Amino acid sequence: MAAGLNLQPQTVNGLFTLDLSNQGLTSIPEEVFGITDLEVLDVSNNKLTRIPETIGRLQKLYRLDANGNMLTSLPQAIGSLQNLQHLNVYSNNLSELPDGFEALQKLELLNVRDNNLTKLPSKIFSCLNLVTFEARNNKLSSLPPVVEKLRKLTFLCIDDNQLREVAHGVCLLSNLEVLGVGNNKLSTFPLGVEKLQKLRELYIYGNQLTEVPPGVCSLPNLEVLKFGNNKLSTSPPGVEKLQKLTDLHINDNQLTEVPSGVCSLPNLEKLSVCNNNLSTFPPGVEKLQKLRELYIYDNQLTEVPSGVCSLPNLEKLDVSNNELSTFPPGVEKLQKLRELHINDNQLTEVPSGVC
């Protein structure tokens, strides 16, 4: 038995579990692979450079956590673990994934974010029970079109890669609730996004889009929409239909106006339209009674939107770096306000009620 290590599994949440995380391990003790009833093995946050092929002995393994190590590859034997449902290997140095994923028919969660992957084996998309797939912060240039086979997928995150297009099959994933494709190189988005009727969160920030994908405003369950840092010059028509929206980011674009429908979103809590070319703000902001954060800095506004001082839940307001010469009265009504940024304007005095 490895000196100083407790290799006695415990029953946690009904599963036979061995926790070897945060132990400074450079290798997994060979004795571990003799515990053939093991269901959960956690070797995360160590200094492992490899997982031996003998892991194939753990045929009852339900969950493997090997994130936060220095792995450059995974053993082929991973594909023999037919009871595996959760595989976390994020934050390593993986440049490829082994063949054999098609045998993992019970796999529900696969997290390979923060590695050096340049491609994904198409056989991963034979794991038909996959519900959560996260591969952000890699070096992926494409997503295999067979992604459409993952009909149970609810969470797909491929932010921070080098994608130039999103596979059309993504729009056929009718159970998808969260889709992240931010910080890629997308200039277009496939047609059919309106089919994702269960989608709650959509992240398409940090790309090269010149328009919001048609159909986005036909997603009735959308709560979070972030398409900041693109090349949009026109705002999405029909945004007022997104009645469940709580978080809207359209910052860092080339917009000259805020969509008029924004002020008809009763559940909106965060709105960011900073760093655009806005000179006006649509009337009716006082209707956003749940708004907590409003960011409109780095624009060309000459006045603060009328009605801002009637927002009872406002906590943060940033109107810095505009062309404001006055501030509307009533700021003292904002009892929950914690941050007010008004620097880099043309104000000659502090707004009445601030002090």
Side-chain angles (χ1 to χ4, degrees), residues 2-165:
L5 277 181
N6 181 3
L7 297 183
Q8 181 61 47
Q10 306 292 323
T11 299
V12 179
N13 297 323
L15 296 171
F16 204 43
T17 301
L18 180 59
D19 186 352
L20 297 178
S21 61
N22 298 287
Q23 298 291 325
L25 298 178
T26 56
S27 64
I28 302 174
E30 189 62 29
E31 299 96 313
V32 169
F33 305 111
I35 311 174
T36 54
D37 287 334
L38 205 59
E39 294 173 289
V40 176
L41 175 59
D42 187 350
V43 291
S44 60
N45 300 316
N46 282 290
K47 299 177 182 179
L48 304 176
T49 57
R50 61 183 291 271
I51 295 175
E53 294 289 343
T54 44
I55 196 168
R57 298 177 189 168
L58 305 180
Q59 284 296 301
K60 293 186 179 180
L61 206 62
Y62 164 88
R63 176 173 181 143
L64 174 59
D65 294 321
N67 48 285
N69 281 285
M70 297 182 289
L71 301 175
T72 57
S73 63
L74 294 178
Q76 292 289 333
I78 287 282
S80 71
L81 302 176
Q82 295 186 20
N83 286 297
L84 197 64
Q85 293 188 32
H86 289 200
L87 177 57
N88 285 307
V89 287
Y90 59 88
S91 298
N92 278 285
N93 297 317
L94 301 174
S95 58
E96 61 181 3
L97 296 176
D99 291 329
F101 269 88
E102 69 276 9
L104 301 179
Q105 286 302 298
K106 293 185 179 180
L107 195 65
E108 295 181 359
L109 179 150
L110 175 59
N111 192 331
V112 293
R113 73 172 191 261
D114 302 322
N115 279 287
N116 297 311
L117 300 173
T118 57
K119 65 178 181 178
L120 297 171
S122 60
K123 291 181 179 180
I124 283 179
F125 303 99
S126 296
C127 301
L128 301 183
N129 284 299
L130 208 59
V131 173
T132 298
F133 183 33
E134 183 165 0
R136 66 179 169 89
N137 195 22
N138 278 283
K139 298 176 181 179
L140 303 175
S141 58
S142 64
L143 189 65
V146 287
V147 66
E148 66 186 62
K149 295 162 72 174
L150 303 180
R151 294 304 174 95
K152 293 186 179 181
L153 208 62
T154 65
F155 182 101
L156 175 60
C157 179
I158 43 179
D159 296 326
D160 302 293
N161 278 285
Q162 299 173 16
L163 300 178
R164 294 190 178 276
E165 62 180 6

Side-chain angles (χ1 to χ4, degrees), residues 210-222:
T210 56
E211 64 177 359
V212 176
V216 165
C217 292
S218 299
L219 300 173
N221 291 298
L222 206 59

Side-chain angles (χ1 to χ4, degrees), residues 165-195:
E165 62 180 6
V166 174
H168 173 71
V170 166
C171 294
L172 299 176
L173 302 176
S174 58
N175 286 300
L176 209 57
E177 297 180 12
V178 177
L179 174 58
V181 292
N183 285 341
N184 278 285
K185 298 179 179 181
L186 306 176
S187 57
T188 61
F189 203 89
L191 297 176
V193 69
E194 68 278 0
K195 297 175 184 177

